[in-house]
């Protein structure tokens, strides 16, 4: 079905990308203040801004060729050739600087935390167990605890809890979780017995139940504008295709099907949270990552082979290898993560949806 929509590079890619670039230039080039004063980022490697760099794990990407297209030209710990989706959402909303990571050797200072903090961590999931077989990560419950620390610093800086609440209520909170609970837990049967204990629908229910507590805690800590991204088309990554094979399809359809109950339940949870917190002015919105990824995928002639030389064992780029030249033609940078160009399209989609809660 998708193959009919393949765009040939010489046909559409450049014109499509130039339209997008024009749209982006309009948004980013303005000198207006940001649409929201502050932005907090929770998630996995798709949003990580360097939080894994100092953890005891091989799943960190603080080396070349990561960052080759980043403004500084060096690796920052982002799982991308350049910016990630969370970065680009920030730019589209008018933020002039990148939101700093929480867990670094130079943690953000009191002025910086007023503008936002990035807590996202590669390999992390909603469940504490997720991804831990590979090494340390900062799971979602810990990310929320880290945010608690930020919130108390903000209250101290602004002089009262009330002042902190007024400030925090204007911020955007973006969360992207759940991908690793499948890729680095449920499907990793050598390291995890969740698939023995839970069928796919029960597992989705377990994840969404946990996530619900974490999102409610964020609300208690002052979050009022919250975007929650669903799980991606995890069966369309080069890593999934290499590991499982597609049996003639474009993607590993069984993997894409596996996460449907999670996304359905998450969408219902978002409706419930809006109903439950309607008196506190809170607005939650579900971001359809499956749709965003499918739309973004159309723009790229090379959909299932990564741009860099990815390690067959881990899926991340082998250090100091040369990446492909035509990075804008690839949907994927390494075996699991989109290129900056693909992230840009996903971010545009998210931004379009988020306007409704900002
Ligand atoms: C906080 O850090 C930013 C960026 O490094 C710096 O420009 C600013 O002067 C610092 N502010 C304070 C109060 O230390
Ligand atoms: C699953 O694994 C956990 C920890 O690895 C263990 O405590 C538990 O007994 C296992 N459960 C089953 C049903 O195998
Ligand atoms: C591959 O597709 C064929 C035809 O649809 C089907 O009969 C077969 O079971 C599939 N094999 C796997 C491993 O999914």
């Amino acid at each position: 079905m998708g193959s009919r929509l393949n765009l040939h590079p010489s046909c559409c890619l450049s014109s499509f990308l130039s339209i997008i670039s024009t749209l982006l230039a309009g948004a980013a080039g303005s000198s207006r203040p940001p649409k929201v004063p502050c932005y907090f980022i929770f998630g996995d490697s798709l949003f990580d801004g360097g939080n894994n760099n100092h953890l005891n794990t091989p799943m960190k990407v603080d080396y070349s060729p990561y960052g080759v297209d980043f403004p500084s030209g060096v690796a920052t710990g982002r799982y991308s050739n350049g910016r990630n989706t969370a970065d680009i959402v920030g730019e589209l909303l008018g933020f002039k600087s990148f939101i700093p990571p929480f867990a670094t050797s130079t943690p953000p200072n009191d002025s910086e935390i007023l503008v936002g903090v990035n807590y996202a961590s590669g390999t992390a999931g909603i469940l504490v167990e997720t991804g831990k077989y590979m090494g340390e990560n900062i799971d979602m419950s810990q990310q929320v605890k880290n945010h608690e620390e930020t919130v108390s610093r903000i209250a101290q800086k602004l002089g009262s809890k009330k002042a902190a609440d007024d400030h925090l209520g204007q911020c955007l909170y973006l969360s992207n979780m759940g991908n690793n609970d499948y890729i680095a837990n449920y499907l990793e049967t050598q390291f995890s017995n969740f698939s023995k204990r839970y069928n796919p629908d029960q597992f989705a229910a377990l994840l969404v139940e946990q996530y619900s507590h974490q999102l409610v805690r964020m609300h208690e800590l002052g979050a009022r504008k919250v975007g929650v991204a669903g799980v991606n088309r995890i069966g369309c990554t080069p890593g999934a295709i290499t590991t499982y094979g597609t049996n003639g399809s474009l993607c590993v359809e069984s993997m894409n099907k596996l996460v449907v109950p999670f996304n359905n339940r998450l969408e219902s949870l978002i409706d419930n949270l809006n109903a439950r917190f309607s008196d506190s002015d809170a607005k939650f919105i579900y971001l359809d990552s499956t749709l965003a990824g499918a739309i973004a995928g159309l723009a790229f002639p090379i959909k299932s082979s990564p741009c860099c030389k990815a390690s067959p064992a881990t899926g991340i780029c082998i250090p100091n290898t040369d990446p492909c030249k035509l990075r804008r033609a690839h949907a994927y940078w390494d075996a699991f993560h989109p290129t900056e160009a693909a992230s840009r399209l996903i971010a545009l989609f998210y931004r379009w949806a988020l306007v409704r809660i900002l």
Side-chain angles (χ1 to χ4, degrees), residues 313-332:
T314 62
I316 58 181
C317 308
I318 297 168
N320 304 315
T321 49
D322 287 334
C324 72
K325 294 269 184 302
L326 259 183
R327 295 192 273 281
R328 288 178 132 207
H330 282 258
Y332 287 93

Side-chain angles (χ1 to χ4, degrees), residues 13-351:
L13 176 71
S14 55
S15 56
F16 184 72
L17 286 177
S18 73
I19 294 168
I20 298 296
S21 311
T22 312
L23 287 173
L24 290 180
S30 83
S31 56
R32 273 172 294 159
K35 214 168 167 60
V36 289
C38 34
Y39 174 28
F40 294 99
I41 300 163
F42 298 79
D44 51 34
S45 54
L46 293 169
F47 282 13
D48 191 338
N51 285 304
N52 276 20
N53 292 354
H54 299 281
L55 297 185
N56 183 14
T57 174
M59 297 305 283
K60 59 176 95 176
V61 292
D62 54 351
Y63 56 83
S64 160
Y66 287 95
V68 60
D69 296 315
F70 198 70
S72 62
V74 298
T76 57
R78 287 172 172 78
Y79 292 72
S80 172
N81 55 309
R83 298 162 179 83
N84 65 30
T85 303
D87 294 326
I88 301 167
V89 168
E91 286 186 355
L92 292 172
L93 293 175
F95 286 88
K96 300 285 180 276
S97 316
F98 294 109
I99 300 299
F102 176 90
T104 63
S105 48
T106 53
N109 64 32
D110 282 357
S111 318
E112 291 174 303
I113 61 173
L114 288 176
V115 182
V117 181
N118 181 335
Y119 307 99
S121 164
T123 77
I126 293 166
L127 301 179
V128 174
E129 296 89 342
T130 291
K132 293 281 194 323
Y133 66 90
M134 290 182 268
E136 291 179 345
N137 66 34
I138 309 171
D139 54 75
M140 185 58 179
S141 295
Q142 186 59 48
Q143 291 184 28
V144 176
K145 283 196 190 114
N146 291 347
H147 183 57
E148 204 171 311
E149 202 178 305
T150 300
V151 169
S152 55
R153 277 176 67 193
I154 287 177
Q156 215 159 28
K157 163 114 176 142
L158 297 181
S160 71
K161 181 168 182 319
K162 168 82 174 62
D165 281 342
D166 288 347
H167 176 75
L168 293 166
Q170 302 174 60
C171 308
L172 170 65
Y173 298 72
L174 204 54
S175 181
N176 182 82
M177 269 293 178
N179 296 294
N180 288 325
D181 294 293
Y182 287 94
I183 302 169
N185 188 340
Y186 198 75
L187 289 166
E188 280 294 337
T189 49
Q190 286 169 273
F191 303 103
S192 160
N193 61 19
F194 275 94
S195 65
K196 289 212 186 74
R197 293 185 283 152
Y198 299 89
N199 70 29
D201 194 53
Q202 290 166 337
F203 186 65
L206 175 78
L207 293 179
V208 172
E209 166 73 14
Q210 269 284 332
Y211 206 6
S212 148
H213 295 304
Q214 293 153 348
L215 292 169
V216 167
R217 183 67 188 135
M218 281 164 62
H219 177 268
E220 280 169 7
L221 292 167
R224 293 296 179 271
K225 300 166 194 288
V226 188
V228 184
V231 166
N232 294 274
R233 301 191 308 160
I234 58 172
C236 298
T237 65
I241 291 170
T242 309
T243 307
Y244 299 101
T246 63
N247 195 19
S249 303
L250 282 180
C251 301
V252 186
E253 295 307 336
S254 59
M255 285 177 81
N256 289 344
K257 244 190 243 157
L258 178 66
V259 304
V260 169
F262 174 85
N263 285 338
N264 288 343
R265 284 172 179 276
L266 183 60
E267 202 171 353
S268 305
L269 170 66
I270 297 306
D271 289 342
N272 293 344
L273 293 175
N274 280 321
R276 181 168 159 193
F277 297 127
S278 57
D279 58 345
S280 74
D281 242 4
K283 292 187 200 121
F284 291 80
I285 192 166
Y286 170 73
L287 303 172
D288 190 339
S289 306
T290 301
L291 183 59
I295 294 172
L298 298 178
F300 299 93
I302 307 172
K303 298 183 199 310
S304 62
S305 77
C307 170
C308 78
K309 278 193 181 46
S311 149
T314 62
I316 58 181
C317 308
I318 297 168
N320 304 315
T321 49
D322 287 334
C324 72
K325 294 269 184 302
L326 259 183
R327 295 192 273 281
R328 288 178 132 207
H330 282 258
Y332 287 93
W333 162 246
D334 62 19
F336 292 106
H337 305 99
T339 52
E340 175 177 301
S343 295
R344 206 165 270 291
L345 299 185
I346 295 165
L348 268 178
F349 180 93
Y350 286 178
R351 158 64 156 75

